[in-house]
Each structure stands twice: as structure tokens, then as C-alpha cells.
Amino acid sequence: MLRIKIIVIFWVFIIIIHSCIIPYEPAIPTKTMNKYVVSGGVTDNNEIQTVSVSKASNVRDPEYNKVTGCYIRIFDDKGNQYEM
């Protein structure tokens, strides 16, 4: 009985592993491609803070479109502002 249970579990595991997965292809209009992406790491430590600005790219053909010459100000919850 234990041997049959192990064989059934084995085959169920094999079927699950080899199951077909249909990839999700989101329908993203091209007019949303003209968006800015702001990313970075900002902490309350006295160290160098990093923020980068880029433009969004096509999901099917991703690329990093760096934007330079930006003026960035960060505001905290106490009303302080920091220029970068």
C-alpha cells in the first residue's frame, strides 16, 4: 500500500512540474510609455543617498533610458526637504 502511495505521489509531482503555463501578456497602451521612473535608496543615515530618474520602456523590449539634468527634492514627514 505504501509503495502505491509513493508511486501516485511521484506521478502527481511529475505532472505538476511539467504542466503548461500560459504566459501573461499585458495590454499596455503605447501612450503610457512616456512615464518617468524614479528609483533610489534614501535613508536617515549620514551617508550618500542615491536617486536615479529614467523613462519607461517597452515591456517586450526593456532598456534603461536614463534622464539627466533633473532637479530632485525629497520631503520627509516633518516638512524637511533635501535637494539632490
Side-chain angles (χ1 to χ4, degrees):
M1 184 67 179
L2 181 63
R3 186 173 184 200
I4 294 174
K5 189 175 182 179
I6 292 172
I7 291 173
V8 169
I9 290 172
F10 172 77
W11 282 109
V12 168
F13 181 73
I14 295 296
I15 290 170
I16 290 172
I17 288 179
H18 292 317
S19 297
C20 295
I21 297 175
I22 299 171
Y24 174 68
E25 296 285 337
I28 301 174
T30 55
K31 65 181 178 181
T32 61
M33 300 304 295
N34 198 16
K35 303 278 185 196
Y36 289 98
V37 178
V38 180
S39 61
V42 180
T43 67
D44 60 354
N45 298 331
N46 190 16
E47 58 187 31
I48 295 176
Q49 312 296 317
T50 306
V51 175
S52 65
V53 180
S54 60
K55 290 188 103 178
S57 64
N58 189 328
V59 174
R60 290 173 185 81
D61 186 24
E63 61 181 319
Y64 182 69
N65 301 316
K66 184 177 181 178
V67 177
T68 58
C70 296
Y71 177 72
I72 299 174
R73 285 192 301 176
I74 298 176
F75 298 87
D76 67 8
D77 58 346
K78 296 179 179 122
N80 300 315
Q81 50 182 304
Y82 307 93
E83 295 183 17
M84 301 190 91

